[in-house]
Amino acid sequence: MARKASKITSEMVAEHGLSESEYEIILDRLGREPNLNELGIFSVMWSEHCSYKSSRRHLAKFLTKGKRVIQGPGENAGVIDIDDGDAIIFKMESHNHPSYIEPYQGAATGVGGIMRDVFTMGARPIALMNALRFGEPAHPKTRSLVSGVVAGIGGYGNCVGVPTVGGETNFHKGYNGNILVNAMCVGLARTDNVFYSAAKGVGNPIFYVGSKTGRDGIHGATMASAEFDDDSDEKRPTVQVGDPFTEKLLIEACLELMATDAIIAIQDMGAAGLTSSSIEMADKGGVGIQLNLDHVPQREPDMTPYEMMLSESQERMLMVIEPGKEQLAFDIFEKWELDVAHIGKTTDTGRLVLKHQGKKVCDIPISPLADDAPNYDRPHIKTEPRPVLLAKNVHETQDYNDALLRIMTSPNIASKRWIWEQYDRHVMADTVDSSQSGGDAAIVRIHNSNKAVAITTDCTPRYVEADPYEGGKQCVVETWRNLTCVGADPIAITDCLNFGNPERPEIMGQFVGAIDGMNEACRALDYPVVSGNVSLYNETNGQAIPPTPAVGGVGLIPDLHHFTTLAGANEGDTLVLIGETTGWLGSSIYLSEVLSREDGAPPPVDLAVEKLNGDYVRKLIRSRRVTAVHDLSDGGLAVTACEMAFGSGLGVALSAPLNGERHGWLFGEDQGRYLLAVDKNSVNPVLATAKAKGISAQVVGTVGGDRITAAGAFDVSLANLKSANEAWMPTLMSGDS
């Protein structure tokens, strides 16, 4: 369209991340041309990060309800019931682009933002998790990115006093130009004291609380919805700066006010800051909002309305207060030495109206910014299937000792102790166990009780890239298995769906396939999605990341007398394998680390078998029939047995396969399997009961001694292998690798 008489040029529209067709819709909805403030507001609210315009029609497929679900997607975080009037509130979210540009602050503010999503709903944060993906270890940026991200996560979480209890860290060349930093927070609340974001009523006061607004983070949501290129470092000013000590004060002040009846609605200022928080509150409550920007606490002089509305300064909240309770709110936030200001009111107009220095600087309807935002049905192409690779089709190593060493010291199997030792895992004194030091899932006791929540994060991107549908299923069932391994009843998941450019049909095909697979698994396991985040445009110069739908699972351990870890095996225990082994080596660690190949179809997931096997393992844990449990995933039986041995400090001796295909038996990644350490008196009952239930179960070895052996294959020192496994990461980070 012609723009000669227009104040808004085509270049300005493009700079705001909007297409020409989207700008035409804005003109239609407004019936006029927007001013610069209004253009900026449409820009951030219609970004992928805020509007989910390419994904929300597919997200609608998810199972989101369940017998323990109090609140599913649509709020700041999901809420589940864990009995006795207790609720767990949790969510996972990405901070990928900021963390690549400015690793420390990008990761730190990711932690701060996800905590605000949780405590804004009335929960005290009790645990943090993360899922990190970096480029190949030899890449020149990898060490500095790892160092900065880990320091940012630890620095923020440790200062706030919330334990980081687990996570996962992967390396792959596909993340060289675009790392992933996904943060998860779990909080504890009472079921009768959960807070929501829907602004209600007319004329109710709107309060701004927390830190002052600065110019940091402006257009952060838009930046997070665009690809990287060679000039990405120029986007450094869009990364926010966090202050964990202010966050701690904000948590305490909000929880104190929440103990009164003063709050009608509350929303954290996350992506798009004051813009998204005010619009989301108004949209959910069916009201309008009027703000006087002169009253917004500002830490920099001469800030414009555009800057104030789009700033993503951290540690800020917006809330609607009950009339007559204003002084109570002022008193509490001033006691905690936080900024607090009455900046506006709810209205019956259904519009966002902003005033600044006596002038109206924005007057736009709420609906086009929220539910009526663009909702695209992007073209998508199904990923071509890869050939099945069973052991008989794959070259067998001639040196199993070397193969085992190479796998156990490979980037994605080697110990990440160097990382997790920088996190305070035991602050608050309720961390029972940690996924890094002895369990498939972290375990956090519910304070002053004998029950606990188990928490895990998982994804196998190489499976998703090979087959998005099967890989999507596997992401979900892996978390379900990990919760099962510690004796928890899996309840619900959150997710962080990291993909490339959705405007490319092959990338959109990955996204749709993964969603469909995840949804099928959720429905088969009665394991609903209650919250999550979508992060698209994760690519640099047209090179997309491997599709990475990270999943965070939460389960309940009703009685802490009945849980287990992978580290509890005793001398003389028998190793029992639950689940069938076909020797599936497609897309496996063996294939990549021993044969330098990344091909083949991923192992298929049989959801009926997953449920049958998992339910049985949980019953064995509750009946104390097992001393240690570990699920089989990356690296198959050999890696699982080694990790059990590392945990217990006792060697293991694995038996030979019946069909003679040793590499498939030891390193195959067939799904739905668990390795159990069983005392001698329980072996026959475990095997007999499994047979009666139609579950594959067989003795595959014994526990004891100081070596790790497999008949006809490897024989290595436990101490030496563990030392090599733990040395990889410190060697990388020292620069000696």
Side-chain angles (χ1 to χ4, degrees):
M1 61 177 287
R3 296 279 170 85
K4 290 184 179 179
S6 171
K7 294 180 181 178
I8 302 297
T9 66
S10 297
E11 290 74 20
M12 292 169 67
V13 171
E15 286 170 1
H16 281 76
L18 294 165
S19 67
E20 283 289 329
S21 61
E22 287 172 340
Y23 187 69
E24 293 291 345
I25 296 172
I26 292 172
L27 295 177
D28 178 70
R29 301 292 162 81
L30 293 182
R32 59 175 172 81
E33 184 177 81
N35 61 36
L36 183 61
N37 301 320
E38 294 166 338
L39 181 68
I41 288 170
F42 270 102
S43 166
V44 292
M45 292 307 298
W46 283 11
S47 68
E48 290 284 358
H49 196 78
C50 293
S51 74
Y52 292 74
K53 59 189 176 187
S54 296
S55 60
R56 68 181 192 267
R57 67 177 54 227
H58 298 288
L59 298 176
K61 302 172 186 174
F62 276 141
L63 171 71
T64 59
K65 299 183 185 300
K67 61 184 178 182
R68 288 188 177 271
V69 175
I70 296 173
Q71 174 65 53
E75 270 293 339
N76 287 291
V79 187
I80 57 174
D81 188 332
I82 59 164
D83 300 330
D84 309 311
D86 293 322
I88 289 294
I89 299 180
F90 66 104
K91 187 182 182 183
M92 179 188 282
E93 197 161 73
S94 63
H95 233 223
N96 304 335
H97 286 52
S99 298
Y100 184 78
I101 295 170
E102 179 53 67
Y104 184 94
Q105 290 296 348
T109 53
V111 172
I114 198 63
M115 279 199 284
R116 287 193 298 280
D117 279 335
V118 167
F119 75 74
T120 192
M121 297 193 70
R124 177 173 293 280
I126 60 171
L128 294 166
M129 299 279 284
N130 54 68
L132 312 176
R133 265 87 191 181
F134 298 102
E136 56 193 335
H139 190 274
K141 283 191 173 183
T142 295
R143 277 199 303 131
S144 63
L145 288 169
V146 172
S147 180
V149 165
V150 171
I153 291 171
Y156 204 100
N158 295 355
C159 290
V160 175
V162 178
T164 299
V165 296
E168 58 174 345
T169 303
N170 294 153
F171 296 85
H172 189 272
K173 62 184 178 182
Y175 303 105
N176 281 349
N178 200 125
I179 65 172
L180 301 184
V181 176
N182 296 171
M184 178 177 173
C185 182
V186 175
L188 177 65
R190 299 295 292 174
T191 56
D192 59 357
N193 203 38
V194 176
F195 288 79
Y196 298 96
S197 59
K200 300 288 186 181
V202 174
N204 291 328
I206 297 174
F207 272 47
Y208 170 120
V209 303
S211 293
K212 289 181 170 64
T213 294
R215 291 186 170 95
D216 53 324
I218 292 174
H219 270 300
T222 306
M223 181 267 287
S225 305
E227 302 173 30
F228 279 156
D229 54 31
D230 292 331
D231 299 320
S232 293
D233 282 348
E234 295 177 4
K235 298 175 181 176
R236 195 174 295 267
T238 64
V239 178
Q240 313 94 317
V241 177
D243 180 353
F245 300 104
T246 298
E247 180 103 342
K248 174 63 174 174
L249 298 177
L250 189 59
I251 291 171
E252 300 304 330
C254 286
L255 292 177
E256 182 174 338
L257 187 61
M258 287 168 171
T260 73
D261 58 355
I263 298 175
I264 295 174
I266 181 169
Q267 175 77 38
D268 79 297
M269 295 190 212
L274 190 52
T275 291
S276 63
S277 56
S278 56
I279 289 167
E280 288 170 9
M281 291 177 82
D283 178 61
K284 290 172 184 174
V287 299
I289 280 185
Q290 180 176 305
L291 302 178
N292 185 339
L293 299 182
D294 297 338
H295 297 160
V296 171
Q298 301 161 52
R299 69 166 184 258
E300 299 183 49
D302 304 319
M303 289 192 72
T304 65
Y306 183 97
E307 291 171 328
M308 281 186 271
M309 290 303 293
L310 270 60
S311 167
E312 293 185 6
S313 295
Q314 297 293 286
E315 294 87 39
R316 302 179 301 157
M317 310 285 279
L318 198 65
M319 53 185 69
V320 180
I321 300 295
E322 284 280 0
K325 303 287 186 180
E326 294 93 338
Q327 193 58 48
L328 175 61
F330 274 114
D331 290 345
I332 288 175
F333 285 100
E334 287 173 350
K335 180 187 81 172
W336 288 98
E337 300 181 345
L338 294 164
D339 281 285
V340 53
H342 181 180
I343 66 168
K345 64 181 180 180
T346 57
T347 69
D348 61 0
T349 64
R351 302 180 73 83
L352 176 68
V353 176
L354 307 178
K355 295 185 176 180
H356 182 243
Q357 297 180 354
K359 296 180 180 178
K360 186 184 293 185
V361 295
C362 171
D363 186 352
I364 51 181
I366 296 290
S367 58
L369 297 167
D371 286 342
D372 196 27
N375 185 355
Y376 296 131
D377 186 5
R378 302 277 194 197
H380 53 275
I381 298 172
K382 184 177 179 180
T383 301
E384 284 294 317
R386 296 182 182 180
V388 170
L389 289 179
L390 296 178
K392 62 184 179 181
N393 311 121
V394 177
H395 175 74
E396 181 178 0
T397 180
Q398 298 304 303
D399 188 342
Y400 274 93
N401 280 9
D402 177 68
L404 184 65
L405 179 64
R406 288 167 66 177
I407 288 173
M408 295 308 297
T409 57
S410 64
N412 295 324
I413 300 296
S415 168
K416 304 306 184 296
R417 179 183 293 273
W418 184 92
I419 293 177
W420 55 256
E421 282 189 338
Q422 298 185 49
Y423 305 149
D424 189 336
R425 293 172 288 137
H426 297 288
V427 64
M428 301 178 77
D430 283 318
T431 306
V432 176
D433 190 57
S434 165
S435 66
Q436 309 102 324
S437 62
D440 288 71
I443 302 172
V444 179
R445 179 187 292 106
I446 302 304
H447 203 62
N448 294 325
S449 81
N450 197 45
K451 64 184 178 183
V453 288
I455 316 161
T456 185
T457 58
D458 270 291
C459 180
T460 310
R462 65 182 187 276
Y463 290 174
V464 187
E465 187 164 40
D467 185 334
Y469 178 72
E470 287 295 334
K473 286 198 291 184
Q474 195 273 342
C475 292
V476 173
V477 300
E478 175 75 5
T479 66
W480 196 83
R481 286 199 300 263
N482 286 343
L483 296 174
T484 292
C485 282
V486 298
D489 295 316
I491 296 176
I493 67 170
T494 183
D495 59 50
C496 199
L497 308 177
N498 309 274
F499 290 80
N501 184 346
E503 297 168 50
R504 295 165 56 192
E506 68 274 17
I507 300 297
M508 198 64 205
Q510 292 176 341
F511 184 84
V512 173
I515 290 277
D516 289 345
M518 292 172 67
N519 182 47
E520 183 176 337
C522 289
R523 292 181 183 276
L525 300 173
D526 192 19
Y527 192 36
V529 180
V530 296
S531 61
N533 168 241
V534 175
S535 176
L536 301 176
Y537 295 94
N538 288 289
E539 52 184 76
T540 299
N541 293 326
Q543 184 62 48
I545 60 162
T548 312
V551 175
V554 175
L556 174 66
I557 299 176
D559 183 350
L560 274 170
H561 290 106
H562 303 283
F563 80 94
T564 191
T565 70
L566 61 81
N570 299 312
E571 184 84 28
D573 279 353
T574 297
L575 294 176
V576 174
L577 177 62
I578 299 293
E580 293 189 358
T581 300
T582 64
W584 196 286
L585 290 174
S587 298
S588 67
I589 290 290
Y590 173 82
L591 208 66
S592 63
E593 299 303 326
V594 178
L595 302 182
S596 300
R597 295 170 56 180
E598 293 191 356
D599 58 327
V605 175
D606 186 322
L607 293 168
V609 169
E610 289 282 356
K611 189 166 192 324
L612 182 66
N613 293 357
D615 289 349
Y616 179 54
V617 169
R618 225 173 296 117
K619 288 180 180 178
L620 292 176
I621 293 170
R622 301 274 170 87
S623 62
R624 302 188 182 183
R625 290 288 193 184
V626 294
T627 59
V629 180
H630 194 12
D631 82 308
L632 278 72
S633 54
D634 291 346
L637 176 61
V639 170
T640 301
C642 287
E643 290 173 345
M644 262 195 175
F646 294 167
S648 68
L650 296 169
V652 296
L654 297 176
S655 58
L658 295 177
N659 60 11
E661 291 175 341
R662 294 174 298 176
H663 56 325
W665 170 252
L666 293 169
F667 302 119
E669 297 182 6
D670 302 86
Q671 297 295 292
R673 298 185 299 161
Y674 301 81
L675 187 62
L676 316 178
V678 183
D679 71 75
K680 61 182 180 180
N681 295 323
S682 295
V683 174
N684 288 335
V686 167
L687 296 176
T689 306
K691 183 178 181 180
K693 291 177 176 289
I695 294 170
S696 174
Q698 59 184 308
V699 172
V700 296
T702 56
V703 176
D706 59 3
R707 301 191 69 76
I708 297 175
T709 67
F714 50 73
D715 184 340
V716 300
S717 160
L718 166 59
N720 290 347
L721 188 61
K722 182 177 181 181
S723 177
N725 175 263
E726 294 201 344
W728 181 84
M729 191 87 197
T731 301
L732 170 70
M733 298 310 296
S734 71
D736 295 334
S737 56

